[in-house]
Amino acid sequence: MMDSHFKRATILLCEHHSTGSIGFIMNKSLQMNIGDLVSDFPNFESDVHFGGPVGTDTIHFIHNLGDLIEESVQVAPGVYWGGSFDQVKFMIKSSMVTEHNIRFFVGYTGWGSGQLAEELREGTWLMAEMDPNYLFKEKPESLWRLIMEHKGNNFTAIAGIPDTTIWN
């Protein structure tokens, strides 16, 4: 996709139902820390990522802490969305959470009723299995290439094509 928001974007789909879908771009860092956005946030080294162009006045988080965070929702094996923000702050302040447990996002990616299904039929998006390591262990800047390589076949070749066409 050539749209600058979604070019080589890897999106974690968190909610998909008849009224619409919500996801977060996993590989677009904003080059800022969560403490830059939330004044009373404990000292914590964690980049904030651009989750998508919708609701850019909101902060979301994805984590691997499961039921330790009340009200979180499992979206894939070992991957949870949201929960109590105050509880997250407490756990960070208590050194119970590291940057390998949580990722913060500004905004989200959203689709209206039937929109994502139509875009999938048109071939706008490729689907891949979610591996928690993509989010919590891999470097975001290498994520698109890694996922394409894991898909195999022709996708491995596509992963090797430079982002800038003048390099081809």
Side-chain angles (χ1 to χ4, degrees), residues 34 38-44 61 69 84-97 102 104:
I34 186 66
V38 180
S39 61
D40 66 341
F41 206 83
N43 186 25
F44 187 64
F61 58 97
I69 305 293
S84 168
F85 196 67
D86 288 334
Q87 193 174 13
V88 167
K89 291 191 309 186
F90 172 80
M91 290 176 74
I92 288 171
K93 192 178 232 179
S94 301
S95 300
M96 298 169 65
V97 175
I102 194 164
F104 295 95

Side-chain angles (χ1 to χ4, degrees), residues 80-139:
Y80 298 81
W81 172 27
S84 168
F85 196 67
D86 288 334
Q87 193 174 13
V88 167
K89 291 191 309 186
F90 172 80
M91 290 176 74
I92 288 171
K93 192 178 232 179
S94 301
S95 300
M96 298 169 65
V97 175
T98 72
E99 68 273 6
H100 298 292
N101 297 118
I102 194 164
R103 184 157 310 162
F104 295 95
F105 299 89
V106 168
Y108 63 93
T109 300
W111 295 266
S113 178
Q115 182 182 3
L116 180 57
E118 179 61 27
E119 290 179 8
L120 286 167
R121 275 193 295 281
E122 293 170 352
T124 304
W125 301 103
L126 297 173
M127 298 291 284
E129 290 295 317
M130 176 58 185
D131 181 330
N133 290 322
Y134 290 157
L135 196 56
F136 303 115
K137 299 212 181 204
E138 299 296 336
K139 294 180 181 177

Side-chain angles (χ1 to χ4, degrees), residues 128-129 131 133-134 138 143-153 155-156 159:
E129 290 295 317
D131 181 330
N133 290 322
Y134 290 157
E138 299 296 336
L143 193 53
W144 180 83
R145 174 179 279 214
L146 179 67
I147 292 170
M148 294 296 279
E149 289 171 350
H150 284 175
K151 286 186 72 61
N153 298 325
F155 299 108
T156 301

Side-chain angles (χ1 to χ4, degrees), residues 20-64:
S21 305
I22 294 174
F24 299 95
I25 300 172
M26 297 188 292
N27 62 328
K28 307 253 180 191
S29 175
L30 290 174
Q31 305 297 316
M32 61 177 40
N33 192 290
I34 186 66
D36 298 333
L37 297 175
V38 180
S39 61
D40 66 341
F41 206 83
N43 186 25
F44 187 64
E45 292 298 318
S46 178
D47 284 344
V48 175
H49 293 79
F50 176 69
V54 182
T56 54
D57 59 344
T58 60
I59 296 175
H60 305 266
F61 58 97
I62 304 292
H63 57 89
N64 60 8

